[in-house]
Amino acid sequence: MKKAVYDPEPALSRKSYVKSLQQYKDLHKKSVEDPAKFWSEIASQFHWEVPFDVNNFYSYNFDLSKGPISIKWMEGAKTNVCYNLLDRNIRNGMGDKIAYYWEGNDPDDYSRLTYKKLLEEVSRFANVLKSKGLTKGDRVAIYMPMVLEIVVAMLACARIGVIHSIVFAGFSSDSLAERMLDCKAKLLITADCVWRGSKLLCLKEICDSAMEKSEKMGHSVETCVVVSHYARLSSSMSQNGTNGTSPHEEPKVPWNDDRDVWWHDEMEDASTSCAPVWMDSEDPLFMLYTSGSTGKPKGVLHTTGGYLLYAATTFKYVFDYHPGDVYWCTADVGWITGHTYVVYGPLANGAQSVIFEGTPFHPDNDRYWAVIEKYKVTQFYTAPTAIRALMKFGEEPVKKHNLHTLKVLGSVGEPINPEAWLWYYKLIGGEKCSIVDTFWQTETGGHVLTPLPGATPMKPGSATFPFFGVMPSIMDEEGHEITGVGEGYLVFKRPWPGIMRTLFGNHERFEQVYFSKFKGYYCTGDGARRDEDGYLWVTGRCVDDMLNVSGHLMSTAEVESCLTGHPSVSEAAVVSRPHPVKGECLYCFITPNQGIPFTDKLVSELKTKVREKIGPFAMPDIIQHAPGLPKTRSGKIMRRVLRKIAVNDHNVGDTSTLADESIVDQLFKNRPEGNK
């Protein structure tokens, strides 16, 4: 019989920063009753060129009826994020410590970088940016693979007050062009190409197309800096032909002598010394675009001081990172998870991290476990979609490797279903690791709901309790706060230091999207429920991931969790489609475990399971065989594509960010006969 609650391992609790649930409650109480005192004590650990005023530490307005939405933390204080991440750590004796172990697409491609060397490289590239005319407040677009240069580029921007806007190097040229146009990027940083498994992608071609499109729309990128990634990888990739990688001819990189420069040429004579530009705490640090309901991406803007505090603090406590640990987040830096928990959070704590360019299945489906064993990883942070995809290969790939160094396992991106949670906990963690099932958004800057290792008794699938300084509430559709047990919209009463400040160039949209629905509250757009023990469960997007069948509101996560609870099912994705009687009905995509056939018997069992687990109203109308699901390279399921397939609409839009675009045609062909 499955347990309802899993207590932290006592040995982990004894060594944790927060050792019990009561200690967490005491700290949380302190953080919300006196935020200035709580956060100023943390802020004092960092360098401030102009000190903050503890008596004027923060101010905010969440109520549109009282004026514009405004959030300020430590306004008037001056610091530099790059200085705190690198110079400060080096001054504390960490210069020769490894900042990053880089693991490439193939196991033979790897390197490492110390804090001292990272500072030298950052200073050199900051001087390159200055030589191209970049100054404080200018915007730089970055479209790069997971190579060490992406970290160097980010921190070089931060060092001189330039705002970086990273676009995941899987977005189409149209998407890149739109983002460069919106932020008016003066300079673009990219690489000639990247390997994804055995596939070679020419990034520079995509960038050239994007720059051409941006120019036609009225904005020209002045300089494009290109990292020569192919040359350093091609020899080892060729040697690994036995692992399924076929050697390619060297790609012809398109070039414009008036605009394009090689990274290595520019770095050759650049000085390794660059003074930091001191930034006001509320000066912008970076912007990151996220999808909007209107189709136009939103440029979420994060600022300097508050983001630094929150990234550093959430990283330290949520992963319980201690000196000597080796931390690995599998996220691409193109997403907010990569910003906060690959770069800013770890470096602010002087951490040793793994940065990974490859995929979980190349050259074999045990790659994650091999990397954990190789670097003796202690904290591992990945997405539920990756966990579920790896589950279908069974235990054998995992048991080939020694994972005994692990102490904390993280989950990010979506609610994790209990079956995947238990597989993660038992097989990967050996029933001794705490699982931190984190909820947060691009907009929040860092974790807002999460267990703490060593302190929080875990419920599989629950994000548990709020992080320090965070005050969540659950609201019904009419704007009434739900106390005790209940379900509704997840909102927040008060800002924490890492929350976004605005949308770039569009504060009115910022106010409309996040603060207009519930007066005086930040609305996440997600649903949540609170159980009888006060635990919070995120139920999915109230707009995109909520289903209304015959007047019954339910979340996709709830139905998917039920379907993946069947022992024959590896993954499930649920969308709604129009129904003449019910309004909407459930259309489910099912990926069976390896070697398990998709049969009428399985369909019948799944329908019965949903009926029994949730209720007759939730029973799916359609269950379709899905050999795979349309996912981005970060592992996120693209549900808008599934909704198109459900109604047999072949106009699916841009699929260039999918890891495997061919799966879309396959899913159309697999549609049940009577529904075409």
Side-chain angles (χ1 to χ4, degrees):
M1 185 172 177
K2 295 176 186 175
K3 292 196 295 183
V5 180
Y6 292 76
D7 291 320
E9 176 75 11
L12 179 62
S13 296
R14 285 193 294 271
K15 297 177 182 177
S16 297
Y17 292 116
V18 184
K19 304 180 190 304
S20 67
L21 188 60
Q22 187 57 52
Q23 187 186 355
Y24 155 75
K25 289 178 178 177
D26 293 343
L27 283 167
H28 186 264
K29 185 170 185 277
K30 177 183 174 183
S31 73
V32 297
E33 288 184 350
D34 194 347
K37 185 173 188 298
F38 180 86
W39 289 108
S40 65
E41 288 173 0
I42 293 171
S44 65
Q45 301 167 27
F46 294 98
H47 173 83
W48 298 90
E49 191 70 7
V50 175
F52 52 81
D53 180 359
V54 72
N55 296 313
N56 186 29
F57 199 74
Y58 75 104
S59 63
Y60 74 97
N61 173 43
F62 270 17
D63 188 344
L64 275 169
S65 68
K66 296 179 179 178
I69 301 300
S70 174
I71 304 158
K72 308 283 186 185
W73 287 83
M74 299 168 289
E75 189 176 19
K78 292 188 183 296
T79 189
N80 182 280
V81 169
C82 179
Y83 183 92
N84 278 289
L85 270 52
L86 301 182
D87 308 63
R88 180 180 62 94
N89 283 324
I90 293 168
R91 286 170 185 260
N92 290 335
M94 296 184 192
D96 294 328
K97 183 177 178 180
I98 301 296
Y100 289 106
Y101 296 97
W102 178 75
E103 180 78 7
N105 181 66
D106 269 27
D108 289 342
D109 303 323
Y110 57 89
S111 62
R112 58 186 61 186
L113 197 61
T114 64
Y115 274 84
K116 182 180 178 182
K117 183 64 174 174
L118 180 55
L119 175 57
E120 290 177 357
E121 294 297 294
V122 166
S123 297
R124 288 167 75 191
F125 194 66
N127 286 323
V128 170
L129 292 175
K130 287 163 67 175
S131 75
K132 302 300 177 188
L134 276 292
T135 59
K136 178 181 174 180
D138 287 337
R139 275 80 63 198
V140 164
I142 302 175
Y143 186 83
M144 292 179 74
M146 283 291 284
V147 291
L148 290 170
E149 285 88 349
I150 194 169
V151 179
V152 172
M154 293 169 73
L155 297 182
C157 290
R159 195 163 190 85
I160 62 172
V162 168
I163 304 165
H164 61 73
S165 173
I166 302 183
V167 180
F168 170 60
F171 275 112
S172 66
S173 61
D174 284 349
S175 297
L176 175 58
E178 185 177 37
R179 287 155 174 78
M180 289 192 299
L181 174 70
D182 188 74
C183 76
K184 300 293 186 287
K186 281 191 175 183
L187 183 142
L188 171 63
I189 308 166
T190 189
D192 51 359
C193 62
V194 62
W195 292 93
R196 289 212 171 95
S198 58
K199 186 178 181 182
L200 182 67
L201 301 175
C202 294
L203 298 185
K204 182 58 165 55
E205 290 182 358
I206 297 169
C207 288
D208 276 20
S209 175
M211 286 186 283
E212 184 180 330
K213 290 169 182 174
S214 177
E215 188 171 2
K216 287 179 179 176
M217 291 186 283
H219 174 70
S220 297
V221 174
E222 296 172 9
T223 307
C224 180
V225 182
V226 186
V227 173
S228 178
H229 192 37
Y230 182 87
R232 65 186 175 201
L233 298 182
S234 57
S235 58
S236 59
M237 293 295 284
S238 297
Q239 292 165 8
N240 289 325
T242 53
N243 289 336
T245 302
S246 301
H248 288 247
E249 288 185 17
E250 184 169 351
K252 289 181 178 153
V253 181
W255 204 258
N256 179 339
D257 286 329
D258 295 329
R259 181 196 63 207
D260 302 339
V261 295
W262 286 109
W263 173 290
H264 57 271
D265 287 341
E266 297 297 314
M267 292 283 275
E268 190 171 357
D269 297 321
S271 170
T272 57
S273 176
C274 179
V277 172
W278 301 112
M279 309 290 288
D280 188 277
S281 180
E282 282 299 319
D283 279 339
L285 175 64
F286 69 85
M287 52 193 296
L288 186 59
Y289 285 90
T290 185
S291 298
S293 57
T294 63
K296 180 177 170 57
K298 307 186 296 280
V300 171
L301 192 71
H302 284 285
T303 53
T304 298
Y307 177 81
L308 170 64
L309 285 199
Y310 205 70
T313 310
T314 50
F315 176 82
K316 175 181 175 178
Y317 285 97
V318 173
F319 298 110
D320 197 47
Y321 184 88
H322 293 262
D325 287 348
V326 178
Y327 161 85
W328 179 24
C329 172
T330 66
D332 192 289
V333 175
W335 308 109
I336 187 63
T337 303
H339 282 60
T340 306
Y341 300 116
V342 173
V343 182
Y344 289 109
L347 292 176
N349 284 275
Q352 298 181 100
S353 301
V354 176
I355 188 166
F356 181 59
E357 185 192 23
T359 72
F361 313 111
H362 179 82
D364 297 299
N365 54 34
D366 66 338
R367 185 71 188 282
Y368 273 4
W369 324 128
V371 172
I372 290 172
E373 182 177 33
K374 178 178 179 179
Y375 295 105
K376 297 181 171 56
V377 171
T378 46
Q379 292 93 348
F380 178 62
Y381 194 34
T382 196
T385 49
I387 297 165
R388 289 192 292 266
L390 290 162
M391 283 173 65
K392 64 185 178 186
F393 298 110
E395 298 184 0
E396 190 271 333
V398 181
K399 291 190 170 178
K400 285 163 53 179
H401 300 281
N402 185 343
L403 308 182
H404 75 279
T405 55
L406 289 169
K407 65 176 185 178
V408 178
L409 300 173
S411 172
V412 61
E414 61 179 296
I416 186 171
N417 57 300
E419 288 69 30
W421 191 101
L422 289 165
W423 186 86
Y424 203 25
Y425 177 74
K426 291 179 178 178
L427 187 62
I428 308 305
E431 300 189 42
K432 66 179 179 64
C433 295
S434 276
I435 291 184
V436 288
D437 182 3
T438 61
F439 170 78
W440 60 299
Q441 304 169 307
T442 302
E443 294 89 342
T444 70
H447 306 135
V448 285
L449 305 178
T450 177
L452 296 183
T456 311
M458 300 162 283
K459 292 188 178 185
S462 172
T464 68
F465 302 112
F467 190 70
F468 306 137
V470 176
M471 297 179 67
S473 293
I474 297 176
M475 307 287 277
D476 66 17
E477 188 66 48
E478 285 72 43
H480 301 123
E481 191 169 339
I482 298 169
T483 58
V485 177
E487 182 169 350
Y489 288 88
L490 176 63
V491 300
F492 294 103
K493 297 180 180 181
R494 185 193 288 174
W496 50 94
I499 191 173
M500 64 175 173
R501 301 303 195 256
T502 189
L503 296 178
F504 181 77
N506 198 339
H507 196 69
E508 185 180 347
R509 188 182 184 194
F510 168 74
E511 294 175 329
Q512 181 63 33
V513 171
Y514 301 103
F515 295 94
S516 64
K517 187 169 182 65
F518 300 111
K519 182 180 176 182
Y521 293 86
Y522 165 82
C523 182
T524 64
D526 281 279
R529 66 180 174 88
R530 186 187 297 110
D531 69 15
E532 62 280 0
D533 298 318
Y535 279 63
L536 292 166
W537 304 70
V538 177
T539 56
R541 295 295 292 173
C542 295
V543 177
D544 298 328
D545 296 336
M546 295 299 285
L547 308 164
N548 193 328
V549 179
S550 300
H552 297 279
L553 199 64
M554 71 189 92
S555 71
T556 57
E558 185 178 16
V559 182
E560 288 164 2
S561 178
C562 179
L563 293 168
T564 54
H566 192 287
S568 296
V569 175
S570 169
E571 287 194 286
V574 179
V575 296
S576 63
R577 81 172 211 177
H579 189 278
V581 177
K582 303 176 185 178
E584 293 180 344
C585 68
L586 301 191
Y587 194 114
C588 308
F589 296 84
I590 299 296
T591 303
N593 287 321
Q594 201 168 36
I596 301 293
F598 184 84
T599 61
D600 290 343
K601 181 174 180 291
L602 176 60
V603 170
S604 176
E605 289 174 0
L606 290 171
K607 288 187 175 183
T608 300
K609 186 173 179 64
V610 174
R611 181 186 179 96
E612 292 175 350
K613 180 82 173 174
I614 303 175
F617 63 89
M619 195 167 72
D621 281 40
I622 308 294
I623 296 181
Q624 175 180 328
H625 180 216
L629 295 170
K631 296 177 185 176
T632 65
R633 293 180 187 88
S634 66
K636 185 176 181 181
I637 296 169
M638 200 176 277
R639 295 180 189 278
R640 66 169 177 80
V641 172
L642 294 178
R643 285 192 282 268
K644 292 283 190 178
I645 293 166
V647 297
N648 202 27
D649 180 357
H650 287 258
N651 184 23
V652 297
D654 182 15
T655 59
S656 63
T657 60
L658 292 180
D660 179 9
E661 293 181 56
S662 67
I663 199 68
V664 177
D665 288 336
Q666 202 169 354
L667 289 173
F668 272 111
K669 289 174 185 173
N670 279 9
R671 293 182 80 258
E673 274 302 317
N675 304 299
K676 292 184 178 177

